[in-house]
Amino acid sequence: MGKTWVLVADSSSARFFSTGAPVAPLEEFDAILHPEGVAHARELTSDRPGRSFDSFGKGRHAMESPTGPKDQEAKNFAKKLCDRIDAARSRSELERVVLVAPPDFLGLLRDSLPEKSRRMVELEIDKNLVKLSTAEIRAHLPEKLYSALP
């Protein structure tokens, strides 16, 4: 029987769980902290944005990046987590994935998962459960995580 990984994450931390049966309890096997996820935007940038002249006239304006530093850090963290899932998939260490994250971070995880790993996602839950105990997290999941049939 294949393994199922449950990733419970937000922009500042992630917890990986595994289970080998559809109704089994979860076993936590790793936790990752990402302190940049809770840092203020001013702490993530080293300088003020550059300035540019208008193409017409004497005006100047700041050049802001289209993505803020906090959003970029969240994207980087989601990519790191998804790279780990994809690496485990390529080594045949898992067969199914359950993603549990707040709605905005869940979207980043979806966008960061490569297609082959995305097909392994059995269930998505848009809640922030990362600070709950293992038993409380399991209680928020369906009794049967997946069908036992291939």
Side-chain angles (χ1 to χ4, degrees):
M1 184 170 300
K3 281 222 180 212
T4 298
W5 278 19
V6 178
L7 170 61
V8 180
D10 64 15
S11 63
S12 62
S13 60
R15 297 168 66 192
F16 285 93
F17 299 90
S18 67
T19 184
V23 294
L26 300 177
E27 294 179 27
E28 186 169 358
F29 66 89
D30 198 11
I32 301 171
L33 293 177
H34 185 70
E36 295 87 349
V38 293
H40 291 285
R42 66 181 175 271
E43 295 169 350
L44 298 172
T45 56
S46 61
D47 207 354
R48 290 179 22 182
R51 301 198 58 84
S52 172
F53 286 101
D54 286 336
S55 58
F56 250 106
K58 297 181 183 186
R60 286 181 51 141
H61 54 87
M63 297 171 51
E64 294 287 331
S65 68
T67 304
K70 284 188 69 76
D71 293 337
Q72 188 59 50
E73 278 303 322
K75 284 181 184 180
N76 293 345
F77 189 49
K79 173 90 169 86
K80 177 181 176 179
L81 298 174
C82 290
D83 286 348
R84 178 151 185 201
I85 290 171
D86 196 50
R89 180 208 47 84
S90 68
R91 293 187 306 265
S92 300
E93 293 176 4
L94 63 103
E95 290 182 4
R96 288 169 292 277
V97 177
V98 175
L99 300 175
V100 182
D104 55 339
F105 197 70
L106 185 59
L108 294 176
L109 291 171
R110 261 189 228 117
D111 293 344
S112 298
L113 265 178
E115 180 60 34
K116 287 182 180 179
S117 293
R118 194 175 312 140
R119 282 188 249 138
M120 299 178 83
V121 174
E122 186 81 17
L123 175 67
E124 295 179 352
I125 298 176
D126 59 349
K127 292 182 179 179
N128 190 352
L129 307 179
V130 77
K131 297 201 186 325
L132 299 182
S133 71
T134 303
E136 290 171 319
I137 291 170
R138 184 62 179 102
H140 277 81
L141 302 175
E143 182 180 344
K144 195 169 187 180
L145 276 177
Y146 57 90
S147 172
L149 300 173

